[in-house]
Amino acid sequence: MTRRDLAAIYEVVAPVAAIGMKTATRRIGEGDNAARVAAAMQAIRDAVDIQPRFRFYLVLNEYHYTLNAMAEKPYVDFLLRAINIEYWNRLLAKAIDLDRHIPGYVRNYERLTDAVLAGDERTVEAVMDWHANWCIRLLEEGRQEGLSTIPSP
């Protein structure tokens, strides 16, 4: 796969992931949903030094799976798994310098979490779109540096 291929997947994944996140936002006041979101965000913070690096993306996946469960959106999980998200994560970890960019991922997910906890669907959608475009820019930076093809994990 090329960096362009990975970026194209972001263009599909982000709006799909936003569906679960927006619906979870509507249900944040139910039961222990706020605590579940806070715990999922803490897991991301705790994973900043995780090795091998691709596992950081798996923690991000778990964040989304948690929100999708809260939202009762199993088809969002189904679609994410249909594109083999875990394998895509391994390729991303080879294409994006996580040692350099994990702080940006954490900040982006903190912004998402703040919006979810505030019940602000519009901000969730806007931040998810911003995050996807940020990731696409990271992939494009690598392509401009002459790193177009991603070695298989």
Side-chain angles (χ1 to χ4, degrees), residues 1 5 18 34 38 47 59 88 90 101 108 113 128 132 137 140 145:
M1 292 191 90
D5 296 328
V59 175
W88 179 62
R90 290 172 187 266
H101 294 294
N108 292 346
T113 299
M128 190 64 205
R137 285 192 306 274
E140 289 172 349
E145 294 167 4

Side-chain angles (χ1 to χ4, degrees), residues 1-13:
M1 292 191 90
T2 66
R3 290 172 184 277
R4 183 170 281 153
D5 296 328
L6 296 174
I9 293 171
Y10 261 116
E11 293 173 341
V12 173
V13 167

Side-chain angles (χ1 to χ4, degrees), residues 61-123:
N61 292 352
E62 287 303 318
Y63 178 95
H64 288 281
Y65 296 149
T66 297
L67 271 66
N68 294 339
M70 288 170 37
E72 297 179 359
K73 294 291 185 184
Y75 290 107
V76 173
D77 286 351
F78 174 81
L79 290 171
L80 294 175
R81 288 187 171 112
I83 64 161
N84 202 353
I85 193 103
E86 283 80 10
Y87 185 73
W88 179 62
N89 293 154
R90 290 172 187 266
L91 296 173
L92 285 177
K94 290 190 173 288
I96 294 174
D97 181 356
L98 284 174
D99 289 331
R100 180 174 161 206
H101 294 294
I102 277 181
Y105 276 95
V106 172
R107 279 191 307 274
N108 292 346
Y109 274 81
E110 285 173 338
R111 291 174 60 207
L112 285 167
T113 299
D114 290 345
V116 170
L117 292 173
D120 186 346
E121 290 178 57
R122 286 185 177 177
T123 300

Side-chain angles (χ1 to χ4, degrees), residues 24-52:
T25 300
R26 289 181 216 135
R27 302 183 73 186
I28 197 63
E30 298 175 14
D32 66 346
N33 285 348
R36 292 170 66 192
V37 172
M41 184 63 233
Q42 188 58 50
I44 292 171
R45 289 184 194 105
D46 292 343
V48 297
D49 294 320
I50 199 168
Q51 297 293 332

